[in-house]
Amino acid sequence: MPKELFAIFGDPVAHSRSPLMHNRAFRELGYPGCYGRYRLEDGTQLRERFLELGLQGINITVPHKEHAFEACDVLDPFAQKVEAVNTIVLREGKLHGYNTDAPGFLRVMEEFGGGKRVLFLGAGGTAASSAVILREAGYEVTILNRSAGRLEHFREQGFETATWESFEPREYDLVVNMSSAGLTDESLPAPEELLRSVLSGVKGVVDVIYGKKTPFLRLAESLGLPTKDGSDMLLYQGVIAFDLFTGGRFDRGEIERAMRKALELVSSEE
Ligand code: NDP
């Protein structure tokens, strides 16, 4: 049986765990798929490359989720609303676009619990789609960002926003690092003094970064707070993407078990 080809597009992509997760699930579930990685420097070429390579589906990571949105013929209503696509599936010659990051993140938040008043640190694409899905699920989201530029988009949608300078803290149940602070460096997502004052009354802390313990999570742990990193978000978005790639024929619990095994293997090797 010829294999269907899938890939992750991004720049960089060398670090991505998506190939491991998807290939493990293809193997365990007996689906004839093969998943690779493709470093795409120019996002405007996403559609062309996708078709040239003969792919059946892709995931898209930084910095091309907006380009992926532009490249699709058909958009899922949620992807349309947040204007960011991280999963594309080819059906009858058309590129269908979805956003699986935000539902993956919502599931993490629901499992973590702790309350509905949430402060986001960071205002990038991931924060944008996650803020919308949380609000639809009844959360109250405030966005705090280093600089003002990206906050405009959130304000237009009715979110409360602030920069570090204009911030007047309220009470929050959960604080989430939605920024890339700590991803490749040792920086905190906001000044330490500000974080210490905000974290003093919260029930828990979440970071969307995975694969390392960020300075933000270390600070929260030192204050005795429950914490959660981004590994389950990665897993849950992958499960939904796999379900879309394979046309909903497998039980999501089985997909998740296979992918979790792949992730446990890498983390035990680190
Ligand atoms: P973007 O590039 O769109 O946004 C980056 C945001 O981080 C901006 O708000 C930026 O602030 C802020 N930022 C960057 N560096 C710092 C710093 N040193 N201090 C304070 N703020 C900083 O990124 P994305 O939204 O695409 O991704 C955000 C994070 O989410 C990344 O770490 C990514 O790895 C992670 N992610 C995890 C997933 C998972 O499955 N676990 C899925 C998707 C994303 P400013 O506006 O001032 O520049």
Side-chain angles (χ1 to χ4, degrees):
M1 200 174 188
K3 286 208 166 180
E4 290 178 7
L5 301 179
F6 300 86
I8 173 119
F9 276 25
D11 185 17
V13 276
H15 69 286
S16 172
R17 295 183 183 180
S18 292
L20 279 170
M21 285 161 46
H22 285 272
N23 284 325
R24 177 89 188 206
F26 285 141
R27 204 170 65 236
E28 293 216 356
L29 299 171
Y31 189 85
C34 180
Y35 191 112
R37 61 182 92 229
Y38 186 83
R39 181 164 168 243
L40 180 73
E41 286 171 81
D42 179 359
T44 62
Q45 296 188 340
L46 187 141
R47 185 184 172 93
E48 209 178 321
R49 289 287 108 80
F50 178 93
L51 295 168
E52 256 172 32
L53 291 164
L55 295 161
Q56 178 59 35
I58 55 171
N59 289 121
I60 303 95
T61 184
V62 179
H64 298 318
K65 290 178 192 179
E66 286 79 19
H67 287 123
F69 168 78
E70 301 291 340
C72 290
D73 301 302
V74 184
L75 286 160
D76 163 77
F78 183 73
Q80 173 89 63
K81 191 184 300 174
V82 298
E83 299 185 3
V85 161
N86 79 321
T87 303
I88 294 179
V89 189
L90 183 69
R91 290 194 201 104
E92 290 157 6
K94 289 201 162 67
L95 275 65
H96 291 245
Y98 302 87
N99 183 304
T100 74
D101 285 330
F105 177 71
L106 175 62
R107 185 172 158 201
V108 167
M109 293 293 276
E110 286 180 336
E111 287 176 358
F112 192 61
K116 299 264 180 185
R117 296 171 304 172
V118 180
L119 178 69
F120 276 10
L121 309 170
T126 311
S129 57
S130 300
V132 170
I133 206 162
L134 285 195
R135 182 162 67 184
E136 286 175 358
Y139 290 76
E140 194 184 296
V141 185
T142 302
I143 324 290
L144 175 62
N145 198 43
R146 176 175 61 178
S147 56
R150 297 185 208 240
L151 291 174
E152 184 59 36
H153 170 77
F154 290 87
R155 257 198 313 277
E156 280 167 9
Q157 296 183 65
F159 288 101
E160 193 165 317
T161 67
T163 59
W164 298 349
E165 288 72 32
S166 68
F167 185 51
E168 288 174 16
R170 301 230 183 124
E171 281 187 16
Y172 306 100
D173 299 315
L174 300 165
V175 180
V176 184
N177 178 24
M178 275 286 169
S179 79
S180 37
L183 182 63
T184 54
D185 56 25
E186 284 298 298
S187 63
L188 284 165
E192 184 168 341
E193 204 180 317
L194 184 156
L195 289 177
R196 282 185 182 275
S197 87
V198 161
L199 293 180
S200 69
V202 306
K203 301 193 182 79
V205 158
V206 177
D207 200 317
V208 293
I209 294 172
Y210 65 85
K212 67 178 283 197
K213 193 166 282 182
T214 59
F216 177 60
L217 285 190
R218 289 204 301 270
L219 174 65
E221 278 181 6
S222 75
L223 299 171
L225 293 167
T227 61
K228 176 96 200 141
D229 76 356
S231 52
D232 278 352
M233 178 180 178
L234 172 77
L235 172 67
Y236 298 159
Q237 64 74 30
V239 170
I240 305 167
F242 189 96
D243 191 36
L244 291 165
F245 290 155
T246 54
R249 76 192 67 196
F250 298 108
D251 175 64
R252 283 198 182 185
E254 281 185 41
I255 304 170
E256 187 176 319
R257 266 190 294 284
M259 288 188 162
R260 201 181 278 281
K261 272 192 222 161
L263 290 175
E264 279 165 5
L265 264 175
V266 269
S267 59
S268 71
E269 283 166 9
E270 279 169 356

PDB file of all heavy atoms in Angstrom, residues 164-184:
ATOM      1  N   TRP A 164       3.835  46.093  30.775  1.00  0.00           N
ATOM      2  CA  TRP A 164       4.422  46.020  32.116  1.00  0.00           C
ATOM      3  C   TRP A 164       4.275  47.358  32.834  1.00  0.00           C
ATOM      4  O   TRP A 164       4.042  47.405  34.040  1.00  0.00           O
ATOM      5  CB  TRP A 164       5.915  45.650  32.031  1.00  0.00           C
ATOM      6  CG  TRP A 164       6.167  44.299  31.424  1.00  0.00           C
ATOM      7  CD1 TRP A 164       5.247  43.326  31.152  1.00  0.00           C
ATOM      8  CD2 TRP A 164       7.435  43.774  30.996  1.00  0.00           C
ATOM      9  NE1 TRP A 164       5.853  42.234  30.582  1.00  0.00           N
ATOM     10  CE2 TRP A 164       7.205  42.486  30.478  1.00  0.00           C
ATOM     11  CE3 TRP A 164       8.749  44.278  30.994  1.00  0.00           C
ATOM     12  CZ2 TRP A 164       8.234  41.681  29.961  1.00  0.00           C
ATOM     13  CZ3 TRP A 164       9.772  43.482  30.496  1.00  0.00           C
ATOM     14  CH2 TRP A 164       9.514  42.198  29.990  1.00  0.00           C
ATOM     15  N   GLU A 165       4.379  48.451  32.079  1.00  0.00           N
ATOM     16  CA  GLU A 165       4.326  49.784  32.695  1.00  0.00           C
ATOM     17  C   GLU A 165       2.908  50.161  33.126  1.00  0.00           C
ATOM     18  O   GLU A 165       2.711  50.772  34.162  1.00  0.00           O
ATOM     19  CB  GLU A 165       4.838  50.870  31.726  1.00  0.00           C
ATOM     20  CG  GLU A 165       6.336  50.859  31.490  1.00  0.00           C
ATOM     21  CD  GLU A 165       6.779  49.674  30.647  1.00  0.00           C
ATOM     22  OE1 GLU A 165       5.994  49.233  29.780  1.00  0.00           O
ATOM     23  OE2 GLU A 165       7.910  49.164  30.869  1.00  0.00           O
ATOM     24  N   SER A 166       1.916  49.789  32.315  1.00  0.00           N
ATOM     25  CA  SER A 166       0.542  50.246  32.625  1.00  0.00           C
ATOM     26  C   SER A 166      -0.241  49.248  33.482  1.00  0.00           C
ATOM     27  O   SER A 166      -1.397  49.473  33.816  1.00  0.00           O
ATOM     28  CB  SER A 166      -0.227  50.488  31.313  1.00  0.00           C
ATOM     29  OG  SER A 166      -0.456  49.264  30.644  1.00  0.00           O
ATOM     30  N   PHE A 167       0.379  48.138  33.843  1.00  0.00           N
ATOM     31  CA  PHE A 167      -0.332  47.032  34.508  1.00  0.00           C
ATOM     32  C   PHE A 167      -0.795  47.395  35.927  1.00  0.00           C
ATOM     33  O   PHE A 167      -0.010  47.858  36.748  1.00  0.00           O
ATOM     34  CB  PHE A 167       0.614  45.831  34.565  1.00  0.00           C
ATOM     35  CG  PHE A 167      -0.005  44.574  35.104  1.00  0.00           C
ATOM     36  CD1 PHE A 167      -1.196  44.076  34.606  1.00  0.00           C
ATOM     37  CD2 PHE A 167       0.629  43.865  36.117  1.00  0.00           C
ATOM     38  CE1 PHE A 167      -1.762  42.910  35.090  1.00  0.00           C
ATOM     39  CE2 PHE A 167       0.080  42.678  36.605  1.00  0.00           C
ATOM     40  CZ  PHE A 167      -1.114  42.212  36.093  1.00  0.00           C
ATOM     41  N   GLU A 168      -2.087  47.154  36.168  1.00  0.00           N
ATOM     42  CA  GLU A 168      -2.607  47.286  37.531  1.00  0.00           C
ATOM     43  C   GLU A 168      -3.187  45.945  37.925  1.00  0.00           C
ATOM     44  O   GLU A 168      -4.303  45.606  37.526  1.00  0.00           O
ATOM     45  CB  GLU A 168      -3.694  48.362  37.573  1.00  0.00           C
ATOM     46  CG  GLU A 168      -3.123  49.755  37.431  1.00  0.00           C
ATOM     47  CD  GLU A 168      -4.202  50.816  37.314  1.00  0.00           C
ATOM     48  OE1 GLU A 168      -5.376  50.532  37.648  1.00  0.00           O
ATOM     49  OE2 GLU A 168      -3.867  51.916  36.857  1.00  0.00           O
ATOM     50  N   PRO A 169      -2.429  45.156  38.664  1.00  0.00           N
ATOM     51  CA  PRO A 169      -2.839  43.772  38.925  1.00  0.00           C
ATOM     52  C   PRO A 169      -4.188  43.662  39.633  1.00  0.00           C
ATOM     53  O   PRO A 169      -4.521  44.480  40.480  1.00  0.00           O
ATOM     54  CB  PRO A 169      -1.732  43.220  39.810  1.00  0.00           C
ATOM     55  CG  PRO A 169      -0.688  44.245  39.902  1.00  0.00           C
ATOM     56  CD  PRO A 169      -1.180  45.516  39.310  1.00  0.00           C
ATOM     57  N   ARG A 170      -4.937  42.617  39.212  1.00  0.00           N
ATOM     58  CA  ARG A 170      -6.169  42.257  39.940  1.00  0.00           C
ATOM     59  C   ARG A 170      -5.923  40.888  40.538  1.00  0.00           C
ATOM     60  O   ARG A 170      -4.798  40.415  40.552  1.00  0.00           O
ATOM     61  CB  ARG A 170      -7.311  42.148  38.942  1.00  0.00           C
ATOM     62  CG  ARG A 170      -7.526  43.421  38.188  1.00  0.00           C
ATOM     63  CD  ARG A 170      -8.978  43.811  38.228  1.00  0.00           C
ATOM     64  NE  ARG A 170      -9.179  45.007  37.426  1.00  0.00           N
ATOM     65  CZ  ARG A 170     -10.042  45.070  36.430  1.00  0.00           C
ATOM     66  NH1 ARG A 170     -10.769  44.014  36.115  1.00  0.00           N
ATOM     67  NH2 ARG A 170     -10.197  46.193  35.769  1.00  0.00           N
ATOM     68  N   GLU A 171      -7.005  40.209  40.912  1.00  0.00           N
ATOM     69  CA  GLU A 171      -6.821  38.837  41.408  1.00  0.00           C
ATOM     70  C   GLU A 171      -6.990  37.869  40.254  1.00  0.00           C
ATOM     71  O   GLU A 171      -7.937  37.985  39.475  1.00  0.00           O
ATOM     72  CB  GLU A 171      -7.851  38.544  42.488  1.00  0.00           C
ATOM     73  CG  GLU A 171      -7.444  39.137  43.798  1.00  0.00           C
ATOM     74  CD  GLU A 171      -8.347  38.734  44.932  1.00  0.00           C
ATOM     75  OE1 GLU A 171      -9.125  37.765  44.784  1.00  0.00           O
ATOM     76  OE2 GLU A 171      -8.278  39.406  45.958  1.00  0.00           O
ATOM     77  N   TYR A 172      -6.067  36.928  40.137  1.00  0.00           N
ATOM     78  CA  TYR A 172      -6.142  35.913  39.082  1.00  0.00           C
ATOM     79  C   TYR A 172      -6.086  34.537  39.725  1.00  0.00           C
ATOM     80  O   TYR A 172      -5.450  34.360  40.767  1.00  0.00           O
ATOM     81  CB  TYR A 172      -4.977  36.071  38.095  1.00  0.00           C
ATOM     82  CG  TYR A 172      -4.897  37.468  37.538  1.00  0.00           C
ATOM     83  CD1 TYR A 172      -3.980  38.380  38.062  1.00  0.00           C
ATOM     84  CD2 TYR A 172      -5.768  37.892  36.540  1.00  0.00           C
ATOM     85  CE1 TYR A 172      -3.933  39.679  37.591  1.00  0.00           C
ATOM     86  CE2 TYR A 172      -5.722  39.191  36.067  1.00  0.00           C
ATOM     87  CZ  TYR A 172      -4.800  40.084  36.593  1.00  0.00           C
ATOM     88  OH  TYR A 172      -4.761  41.369  36.131  1.00  0.00           O
ATOM     89  N   ASP A 173      -6.724  33.565  39.062  1.00  0.00           N
ATOM     90  CA  ASP A 173      -6.628  32.179  39.544  1.00  0.00           C
ATOM     91  C   ASP A 173      -5.384  31.506  38.961  1.00  0.00           C
ATOM     92  O   ASP A 173      -4.702  30.747  39.634  1.00  0.00           O
ATOM     93  CB  ASP A 173      -7.872  31.391  39.119  1.00  0.00           C
ATOM     94  CG  ASP A 173      -9.133  31.989  39.707  1.00  0.00           C
ATOM     95  OD1 ASP A 173      -9.117  32.322  40.907  1.00  0.00           O
ATOM     96  OD2 ASP A 173     -10.121  32.154  38.964  1.00  0.00           O
ATOM     97  N   LEU A 174      -5.146  31.787  37.662  1.00  0.00           N
ATOM     98  CA  LEU A 174      -4.038  31.116  36.964  1.00  0.00           C
ATOM     99  C   LEU A 174      -3.244  32.131  36.149  1.00  0.00           C
ATOM    100  O   LEU A 174      -3.826  33.058  35.579  1.00  0.00           O
ATOM    101  CB  LEU A 174      -4.597  30.048  36.004  1.00  0.00           C
ATOM    102  CG  LEU A 174      -5.429  28.941  36.640  1.00  0.00           C
ATOM    103  CD1 LEU A 174      -6.212  28.184  35.574  1.00  0.00           C
ATOM    104  CD2 LEU A 174      -4.536  27.968  37.401  1.00  0.00           C
ATOM    105  N   VAL A 175      -1.938  31.929  36.082  1.00  0.00           N
ATOM    106  CA  VAL A 175      -1.085  32.774  35.242  1.00  0.00           C
ATOM    107  C   VAL A 175      -0.379  31.865  34.238  1.00  0.00           C
ATOM    108  O   VAL A 175       0.151  30.809  34.598  1.00  0.00           O
ATOM    109  CB  VAL A 175      -0.053  33.547  36.094  1.00  0.00           C
ATOM    110  CG1 VAL A 175       0.828  34.415  35.202  1.00  0.00           C
ATOM    111  CG2 VAL A 175      -0.760  34.423  37.126  1.00  0.00           C
ATOM    112  N   VAL A 176      -0.419  32.276  32.961  1.00  0.00           N
ATOM    113  CA  VAL A 176       0.119  31.430  31.890  1.00  0.00           C
ATOM    114  C   VAL A 176       1.223  32.160  31.139  1.00  0.00           C
ATOM    115  O   VAL A 176       1.006  33.287  30.668  1.00  0.00           O
ATOM    116  CB  VAL A 176      -0.988  31.073  30.862  1.00  0.00           C
ATOM    117  CG1 VAL A 176      -0.438  30.106  29.809  1.00  0.00           C
ATOM    118  CG2 VAL A 176      -2.203  30.472  31.550  1.00  0.00           C
ATOM    119  N   ASN A 177       2.387  31.520  30.986  1.00  0.00           N
ATOM    120  CA  ASN A 177       3.403  32.081  30.095  1.00  0.00           C
ATOM    121  C   ASN A 177       3.058  31.696  28.671  1.00  0.00           C
ATOM    122  O   ASN A 177       3.231  30.561  28.251  1.00  0.00           O
ATOM    123  CB  ASN A 177       4.804  31.567  30.432  1.00  0.00           C
ATOM    124  CG  ASN A 177       5.835  32.120  29.463  1.00  0.00           C
ATOM    125  OD1 ASN A 177       5.622  33.181  28.859  1.00  0.00           O
ATOM    126  ND2 ASN A 177       6.942  31.420  29.304  1.00  0.00           N
ATOM    127  N   MET A 178       2.569  32.682  27.919  1.00  0.00           N
ATOM    128  CA  MET A 178       2.201  32.490  26.517  1.00  0.00           C
ATOM    129  C   MET A 178       3.275  33.077  25.605  1.00  0.00           C
ATOM    130  O   MET A 178       3.074  33.173  24.406  1.00  0.00           O
ATOM    131  CB  MET A 178       0.890  33.246  26.242  1.00  0.00           C
ATOM    132  CG  MET A 178      -0.330  32.470  26.581  1.00  0.00           C
ATOM    133  SD  MET A 178      -0.538  31.205  25.311  1.00  0.00           S
ATOM    134  CE  MET A 178      -1.803  30.219  26.066  1.00  0.00           C
ATOM    135  N   SER A 179       4.377  33.520  26.185  1.00  0.00           N
ATOM    136  CA  SER A 179       5.426  34.157  25.385  1.00  0.00           C
ATOM    137  C   SER A 179       6.515  33.142  25.067  1.00  0.00           C
ATOM    138  O   SER A 179       6.473  32.009  25.527  1.00  0.00           O
ATOM    139  CB  SER A 179       6.025  35.324  26.169  1.00  0.00           C
ATOM    140  OG  SER A 179       6.930  34.833  27.130  1.00  0.00           O
ATOM    141  N   SER A 180       7.507  33.592  24.286  1.00  0.00           N
ATOM    142  CA  SER A 180       8.632  32.689  24.050  1.00  0.00           C
ATOM    143  C   SER A 180       9.785  32.976  25.013  1.00  0.00           C
ATOM    144  O   SER A 180      10.876  32.464  24.801  1.00  0.00           O
ATOM    145  CB  SER A 180       9.064  32.751  22.583  1.00  0.00           C
ATOM    146  OG  SER A 180       8.951  34.054  22.084  1.00  0.00           O
ATOM    147  N   ALA A 181       9.526  33.749  26.070  1.00  0.00           N
ATOM    148  CA  ALA A 181      10.575  33.990  27.075  1.00  0.00           C
ATOM    149  C   ALA A 181      10.908  32.677  27.777  1.00  0.00           C
ATOM    150  O   ALA A 181      10.025  32.010  28.313  1.00  0.00           O
ATOM    151  CB  ALA A 181      10.083  35.012  28.097  1.00  0.00           C
ATOM    152  N   GLY A 182      12.170  32.296  27.732  1.00  0.00           N
ATOM    153  CA  GLY A 182      12.579  31.036  28.369  1.00  0.00           C
ATOM    154  C   GLY A 182      12.707  29.896  27.382  1.00  0.00           C
ATOM    155  O   GLY A 182      13.180  28.817  27.711  1.00  0.00           O
ATOM    156  N   LEU A 183      12.291  30.128  26.137  1.00  0.00           N
ATOM    157  CA  LEU A 183      12.325  29.047  25.127  1.00  0.00           C
ATOM    158  C   LEU A 183      13.777  28.715  24.760  1.00  0.00           C
ATOM    159  O   LEU A 183      14.199  27.568  24.827  1.00  0.00           O
ATOM    160  CB  LEU A 183      11.531  29.490  23.893  1.00  0.00           C
ATOM    161  CG  LEU A 183      11.398  28.504  22.733  1.00  0.00           C
ATOM    162  CD1 LEU A 183      10.641  27.259  23.158  1.00  0.00           C
ATOM    163  CD2 LEU A 183      10.690  29.154  21.544  1.00  0.00           C
ATOM    164  N   THR A 184      14.527  29.753  24.367  1.00  0.00           N
ATOM    165  CA  THR A 184      15.930  29.506  24.001  1.00  0.00           C
ATOM    166  C   THR A 184      16.877  30.308  24.890  1.00  0.00           C
ATOM    167  O   THR A 184      18.069  30.313  24.666  1.00  0.00           O
ATOM    168  CB  THR A 184      16.187  29.923  22.530  1.00  0.00           C
ATOM    169  OG1 THR A 184      15.767  31.281  22.376  1.00  0.00           O
ATOM    170  CG2 THR A 184      15.434  29.036  21.565  1.00  0.00           C
TER     171      THR A 184
END
